[in-house]
Amino acid sequence: TTCSGVTTSTADPMLGSLTGSPAYLPLLAGSPAKETGDDATCTAYPVSSTSQNHVHRPQDAHCEIGSFEVPLTATFRAVASQDGWILESSETSGTGGTLDSTDTQVNVGDGTADKQYRSILSFNTGPTLPDTAVIVGATLKLKKTATVGGSNPFTTLGYLYVDIKSGGFSGNGALQLSDFSAAGSKNATAKYTSASTTWISTNIGATGLPFVNRTGGTQIRLRF
């Protein structure tokens, strides 16, 4: 029915449990409130352009009805042609000596002569993420192929750290020796405490989220 310009409906809005602060009722899968809001209203003012769950509106083609905006999710696979490992030139040099961008796996940890391996993962985040996207979370998934040398690197070396760079560590996406020690946008934004032959995840820290590139690529460096 319509009354004084306001449209109401008796359809079940399919709401979840009250949560968050300020509190809100999330929309469940299949809710008729999804993608059916008034875009002119929900984007007209700074207050209403951000939902109660702190998500920019709209996330998709149209706003949701109500105070909750369903956040979009996107999955990115690493770009194989720009990934690879870099081996330190000597045990204490802190600089890259050799690299391989064609290996089918990445290496991290100490190699022979205690030279360190570091690896770069490249993700083409720009074309998918809108320039106006507000990134509220990012998860990195890794899977162990094998442990070489017999010892557990998490025991001998500690945490596996994740550095993030908006764009490329050395200015572009191609793997370079300088990626070994080039400054990240945020170093140690996340860490792994173990590895597994099944996929394991870590959340990119809040201080790293601003550096997920919405206009180009994003690179990750793995290091002990």
Side-chain angles (χ1 to χ4, degrees), residues 79-84 101 120-123 173-175 179 219:
V79 181
S81 62
Q82 296 177 353
D83 295 343
S101 61
I120 302 294
L121 303 175
S122 296
F123 298 92
L175 186 68
D179 292 340
Q219 285 195 327

Side-chain angles (χ1 to χ4, degrees), residues 32-137:
K34 291 183 178 180
E35 296 289 292
T36 53
D38 184 344
D39 295 340
T41 299
C42 78
T43 62
Y45 309 101
V47 172
S48 60
S49 64
T50 301
S51 64
Q52 190 86 337
N53 56 319
H54 310 292
V55 173
H56 185 81
R57 312 181 79 168
Q59 285 282 293
D60 212 331
H62 302 290
C63 298
E64 331 302 12
I65 294 176
S67 62
F68 179 82
E69 187 76 9
V70 178
L72 290 182
T73 60
T75 301
F76 302 94
R77 296 184 66 87
V79 181
S81 62
Q82 296 177 353
D83 295 343
W85 55 256
I86 307 164
L87 179 61
E88 195 175 17
S89 59
S90 65
E91 180 183 357
T92 59
S93 70
T95 60
T98 56
L99 61 78
D100 192 328
S101 61
T102 62
D103 202 335
T104 56
Q105 62 189 22
V106 294
N107 298 331
V108 186
D110 278 0
T112 56
D114 290 328
K115 294 188 290 185
Q116 185 179 158
Y117 282 97
R118 294 181 176 181
S119 285
I120 302 294
L121 303 175
S122 296
F123 298 92
N124 194 15
T125 50
T128 301
L129 297 176
D131 294 350
T132 57
V134 176
I135 300 170
V136 297

Side-chain angles (χ1 to χ4, degrees), residues 4-21:
S4 300
V6 176
T7 301
T8 61
S9 173
T10 57
D12 181 359
M14 301 180 67
L15 303 177
S17 301
L18 191 67
T19 187
S21 178

Side-chain angles (χ1 to χ4, degrees), residues 143-205:
K143 182 192 294 185
K144 179 181 73 173
T145 302
T147 299
V148 179
S151 61
N152 182 345
F154 292 93
T155 301
T156 57
L157 302 175
Y159 298 124
L160 174 60
Y161 288 103
V162 176
D163 303 333
I164 189 169
K165 178 67 175 182
S166 181
F169 280 97
S170 298
N172 61 62
L175 186 68
Q176 302 176 60
L177 291 176
S178 54
D179 292 340
F180 186 92
S181 55
S185 299
K186 179 63 179 178
N187 288 345
T189 185
K191 64 186 180 184
Y192 287 89
T193 59
S194 64
S196 173
T197 54
T198 59
W199 291 105
I200 60 173
S201 303
T202 188
N203 293 321
I204 300 298

